[in-house]
Amino acid sequence: MSLFGVKERKEIKELNIQIDSLQKKILEIKVKEDQLLDIIQKKDIKIENIENIEKISKSPHDRQFEKITLEFDKVKTENINLKKSNEKFKLENVKLIAENRETIEKIIEIEKRANSLRLENKVLKQPKESKNTQKKFRYRVLIKDLYSARKHDEFKKICENSGLLYVSELKNINFEKLIEDGISKTKMNNAKNEYIKFKNDEFNPEIEEYLVYGHKVSKVFFRYRSFVSYLAEAGIKFISQLENFDFKDLEGESFTSAQIEKMKEKMTKYNKLRKK
């Protein structure tokens, strides 16, 4: 089964045709460039010979001075024409070299686009979530994430001392008894109300987004900006989109083996801690 959809296969096929055409053009330009260099070299030699004739024809002791003078004028005119022609060939050669460089750059750009299409196609092949499955939560919320406000610091400390890590573990907690641990009634009620709202799916959009898609890759891999940029070009924004991501694809990019290994470890730790 093909890894690409009809649209992607068609576009990549067109890109390959463009690359073949451009490479053929490069060969044609190269042949023409060699021909021009050969012509220029021959004309340089001819110009040199003509200039030597000019020196000879200037001799006042030549018996056929008059005939040579006429020949000299003819040769001189030809020499001027040859020089003009030679300059024209040189300018054309420079132009061909520039076109050749531009063609190569175009091929490189097309190949980058093709690689981007391949990566984008992998992402597109991941199962898409319809509106009916938007509420299918795939990640666990940590207590420290839900209770991120400073007013919940005491409550978070109590949870930490009790070995509670996830919000789902609060189902057995007796909030009223927290007052005995030294927390004020107001702070207890704040923590309890936050949990009740969470159970009723009444949480802010950021938490809901996280539950479905995980954190944004820019937050998890903030130390690896080049990797975040690489993913952005492929349309990858959330951690969930990396479920089928093959880190081996990075080997041909500007990432070291050590960097790739560290990013894989970070992804593994993230999923182990947060994924259901």
Side-chain angles (χ1 to χ4, degrees):
M1 182 181 292
S2 174
L3 293 176
F4 304 99
V6 175
K7 181 180 177 182
E8 289 78 13
R9 288 202 305 271
K10 182 178 178 182
E11 188 164 355
I12 291 175
K13 183 178 179 181
E14 290 175 355
L15 289 174
N16 287 331
I17 291 173
Q18 289 184 45
I19 290 174
D20 291 340
S21 176
L22 289 171
Q23 288 176 336
K24 184 177 179 182
K25 185 177 180 181
I26 289 175
L27 291 175
E28 291 174 354
I29 291 173
K30 183 63 179 175
V31 171
K32 192 169 183 180
E33 182 183 335
D34 292 339
Q35 290 175 345
L36 283 174
L37 287 173
D38 186 57
I39 292 172
I40 290 170
Q41 188 177 16
K42 289 179 180 178
K43 291 199 178 286
D44 282 338
I45 294 173
K46 193 168 184 179
I47 290 171
E48 185 179 349
N49 291 336
I50 291 173
E51 288 175 344
N52 290 334
I53 292 174
E54 288 178 3
K55 293 178 182 178
I56 296 173
S57 51
K58 290 180 181 179
S59 174
H61 304 291
D62 197 313
R63 294 179 181 179
Q64 298 179 343
F65 178 77
E66 187 175 340
K67 183 178 179 180
I68 291 177
T69 300
L70 293 173
E71 185 67 23
F72 169 74
D73 291 337
K74 181 180 177 182
V75 169
K76 189 173 182 181
T77 300
E78 185 178 352
N79 184 31
I80 292 172
N81 292 334
L82 280 172
K83 285 184 176 180
K84 288 181 179 179
S85 178
N86 193 29
E87 289 300 320
K88 181 182 177 181
F89 282 132
K90 287 180 179 179
L91 288 173
E92 189 172 349
N93 188 41
V94 171
K95 183 181 177 182
L96 282 172
I97 292 172
E99 288 179 357
N100 189 31
R101 185 181 297 110
E102 183 180 348
T103 302
I104 291 172
E105 289 175 354
K106 191 177 291 185
I107 287 177
I108 293 172
E109 185 62 33
I110 289 174
E111 287 177 340
K112 284 183 178 179
R113 188 180 169 197
N115 289 333
S116 177
L117 273 173
R118 293 187 186 99
L119 184 57
E120 184 178 349
N121 186 60
K122 285 185 179 181
V123 176
L124 290 174
K125 282 189 175 292
Q126 295 181 18
K128 294 183 178 180
E129 296 175 341
S130 65
K131 291 181 179 179
N132 295 328
T133 59
Q134 284 286 320
K135 294 295 182 179
K136 183 181 178 182
F137 299 147
R138 293 181 291 180
Y139 293 89
R140 295 180 291 183
V141 178
L142 274 62
I143 292 173
K144 67 176 184 179
D145 290 337
L146 183 64
Y147 295 93
S148 57
R150 291 189 63 183
K151 65 181 180 180
H152 299 302
D153 284 351
E154 288 183 51
F155 175 69
K156 283 186 290 185
K157 191 66 176 176
I158 292 173
C159 291
E160 183 182 340
N161 294 337
S162 301
L164 301 175
L165 183 62
Y166 301 102
V167 175
S168 59
E169 296 174 327
L170 296 177
K171 62 183 178 181
N172 297 321
I173 194 171
N174 187 334
F175 283 91
E176 281 69 19
K177 287 192 68 176
L178 294 178
I179 298 176
E180 298 176 8
D181 295 326
I183 190 171
S184 69
K185 186 174 181 180
T186 300
K187 291 182 179 180
M188 180 275 293
N189 284 329
N190 287 338
K192 183 179 179 179
N193 291 335
E194 195 73 38
Y195 178 65
I196 292 173
K197 285 192 295 182
F198 181 84
K199 280 189 8 177
N200 294 330
D201 292 348
E202 297 175 14
F203 28 69
N204 63 53
E206 186 177 349
I207 291 293
E208 182 174 5
E209 182 181 73
Y210 160 77
L211 285 166
V212 179
Y213 304 108
H215 279 114
K216 292 180 179 179
V217 292
S218 57
K219 183 172 183 178
V220 179
F221 295 100
F222 66 93
R223 293 184 184 276
Y224 303 92
R225 294 183 181 178
S226 56
F227 180 53
V228 173
S229 299
Y230 175 85
L231 295 177
E233 289 180 6
I236 297 176
K237 185 178 180 182
F238 296 99
I239 286 295
S240 60
Q241 292 175 284
L242 290 176
E243 287 181 359
N244 298 321
F245 183 79
D246 190 352
F247 281 86
K248 288 183 179 179
D249 291 342
L250 300 177
E251 292 177 357
E253 303 297 330
S254 56
F255 299 98
T256 65
S257 298
Q259 286 176 324
I260 295 173
E261 195 58 35
K262 285 182 179 179
M263 289 186 288
K264 284 173 64 178
E265 290 176 3
K266 195 168 189 65
M267 183 69 184
T268 300
K269 288 180 180 179
Y270 180 91
N271 286 332
K272 185 177 180 181
L273 177 65
R274 297 176 177 274
K275 197 172 181 182
K276 286 188 176 181

